[in-house]
Amino acid sequence: MKPLHLPITGHDLLAVERFRDSTRHMIEFLVLADCPMGKPGEYIRRFLTEGGYGEALACARQGSIQIRKHASIIEGHILPDKPRKRRKN
């Protein structure tokens, strides 16, 4: 969930980057520390290639960003990740 007080910056939902052939991921993330992805306190949406997504995951592992939403992009279509199913014991 997006923090209610923060506007979404970065790419718009109809951004040109979404429709490029190399785009495979859309992420929305909160920047926690100064990094190449943004300034601390920003909530950002980006459409990324596989390489860009790898860089974002590396920043998340370092604790610079917190990825809040992820979706796959196929031919410009946004396919949100399905929530994990809970098993009954």
Side-chain angles (χ1 to χ4, degrees):
M1 288 282 288
K2 178 181 92 60
L4 294 176
H5 64 283
L6 294 176
I8 296 178
T9 59
H11 295 147
D12 192 329
L13 280 177
L14 294 176
V16 174
E17 292 82 3
R18 172 180 167 183
F19 299 99
R20 291 187 179 148
D21 291 336
S22 60
T23 302
R24 294 287 176 257
H25 302 275
M26 181 203 76
I27 61 171
E28 290 183 5
F29 59 94
L30 181 62
V31 181
L32 303 173
D34 197 25
C35 70
M37 303 289 286
K39 296 179 183 173
E42 290 182 323
Y43 190 80
I44 302 172
R45 175 189 298 125
R46 293 263 170 90
F47 292 99
L48 303 168
T49 61
E50 289 293 337
Y53 184 60
E55 292 174 18
L57 289 177
C59 287
R61 274 187 239 112
Q62 293 172 358
S64 300
I65 66 171
Q66 181 182 34
I67 297 176
R68 296 285 182 98
K69 288 185 182 181
H70 174 270
S72 297
I73 305 294
I74 299 176
E75 296 180 355
H77 297 282
I78 299 174
L79 305 171
D81 291 342
K82 293 181 181 178
R84 295 182 182 185
K85 293 184 180 178
R86 293 185 181 182
R87 288 184 161 196
K88 293 182 181 179
N89 289 334

